[in-house]
Amino acid sequence: MNKKKLVFSGVQPTGNLHLGNYLGALKNFVKLQDEAECIYCVVDLHAITVFQDPSDLKNNILETTAGFLATGLDYKKSIIFNQSSVSGHAELGWILNCVSKVGWLNRMTQFKDKVGKDKEKASVGLYIYPNLMAADILLYKSTHVPVGADQKQHLELCRDIAQKFNADFKKNLFPIPEPLIQKEMSRVMSLRDGMAKMSKSDESNYSRIDLKDSADEIIKKVKKAKSDSSSIPDNLKVLSEKPEALNLINIYTSLSDRSFDQTINEFKGKDYSHLKNKLSELLVEVICPVGKEIKKLLEDKSFLEKILREGTEKAKVIAERNLKEIKNVVGFF
Ligand code: AQP
């Protein structure tokens, strides 16, 4: 059993990276680089569970890679690559499809939320997506997985699959991976609806802050964000009844690396317009440099392709070694 801390996580190249990806995942990815061996993957096989225009997909893979680098990932410290270039993900994905249970997948709330009433028209890939996610993680025998709270259920499924595989084949092959979910800001909500998560696929541009937004766009989006007409309360109980307002407080808290109590003490009794002004200033300070860096990196696509190629070579070494062992345990030649 691999006792070393090995971190794996992925981001789908399905559009512009947003504040939810940054606060829920990427910020944590960067911190972990100095504590553990880290593998960060642009999960393009996951992206095609919903149809992607091929040329958009190519651009989005590079843009997500640029987002990784611009938020502080160092390709010399971490392995950065795209999933489809290491065939072991798909191969182990199939093996795990045969370990996982239909009943387990039927409980996945993200699938139900994404397909709504159109279940019959959803791709099979979207349904078995969590099994592929388990393969991504287990292919490297990863021990820790930094994700936003929306992925917690998928990670629990991955743990169940790893345990079942180990039990079925009577071999302690896979470590049972631990989720690393940010305590302060595990779920960034939409700026238009405090009950829906901020998401790339939300049709409204005003629902999210994209990492490439200009200062003007950020200010406009924060100004239009839903909040509350009364003043800011001094406790979480009252705020919890106003999810949009709570979301703004949480974003400010997380971006400024403060505690919730510190933020409340600063803003209690004031109007939300005051919080919005401070939040816009902070967002412009933190997010605009990231957006500028993404745009700069995208000017040299061959550099980004080179990073992915080099990362792929490193990922393949681990993946091929582990897959050989896994196939042998399953009974393949
Ligand atoms: N709103 C969010 N709050 C906190 N964390 C979030 N993450 C995504 N949205 C939020 C985390 O970001 C990582 C990468 O997610 P992803 O892009 O691979 O997939 P997703 O969760 O499906 O993100 P989107 O934006 O909702 O994409 P679409 O619209 O394409 O489905 C994950 O760790 C995720 O938890």
Side-chain angles (χ1 to χ4, degrees), residues 9-26 29 43 110 114 129 146-151 185-190 197-202:
S9 198
V11 176
Q12 292 189 74
T14 42
N16 291 335
L17 291 174
H18 53 74
L19 188 65
N21 298 132
Y22 176 67
L23 293 178
L26 290 162
F29 290 4
V43 286
Q110 196 182 75
K114 280 202 170 172
Y129 171 121
V147 280
D150 58 312
Q151 292 295 334
M185 192 77 219
S186 59
R187 196 186 290 265
V188 180
M189 308 312 280
S190 154
K197 75 161 188 159
M198 186 177 284
S199 167
K200 296 187 206 95
S201 52
D202 192 317

Side-chain angles (χ1 to χ4, degrees), residues 115-130:
V115 299
K117 292 194 190 78
D118 277 337
K119 192 172 151 200
E120 300 294 314
K121 291 186 195 144
S123 73
V124 175
L126 190 65
Y127 179 64
I128 58 170
Y129 171 121

Side-chain angles (χ1 to χ4, degrees), residues 2 20 22 65 73 102 110 127 144 152 156 167 182 199 240 245 249 259 261 266 281-282 291 301 316 318 324 333:
N2 181 3
Y22 176 67
T65 309
L73 290 186
V102 172
Q110 196 182 75
Y127 179 64
H144 292 80
K152 190 165 179 268
E156 277 159 11
Q182 305 260 49
S199 167
S240 300
I249 294 273
S259 67
D261 288 346
E266 184 180 341
E281 276 173 26
L282 189 58
K301 294 202 166 135
K316 266 187 184 166
I318 310 171
K324 200 169 163 204
F333 282 108

Side-chain angles (χ1 to χ4, degrees), residues 7 11-12 49 60 68 101 108 115 123 128 149 153 180 183 188 219 270 278-279 281 293 303 330:
V7 169
V11 176
Q12 292 189 74
T49 54
N60 285 334
F68 280 3
K101 298 279 167 206
M108 296 298 113
V115 299
S123 73
I128 58 170
Q153 195 187 32
L180 296 173
K183 282 191 200 75
V188 180
I219 293 165
K270 297 193 170 126
K278 290 281 180 194
L279 179 59
E281 276 173 26
E293 186 61 18
F303 170 71
V330 170

Side-chain angles (χ1 to χ4, degrees), residues 303-314:
F303 170 71
L304 295 170
E305 284 171 26
K306 180 172 156 274
I307 302 278
L308 290 177
R309 266 199 313 275
E310 287 177 7
T312 296
E313 289 315 308
K314 291 183 203 158

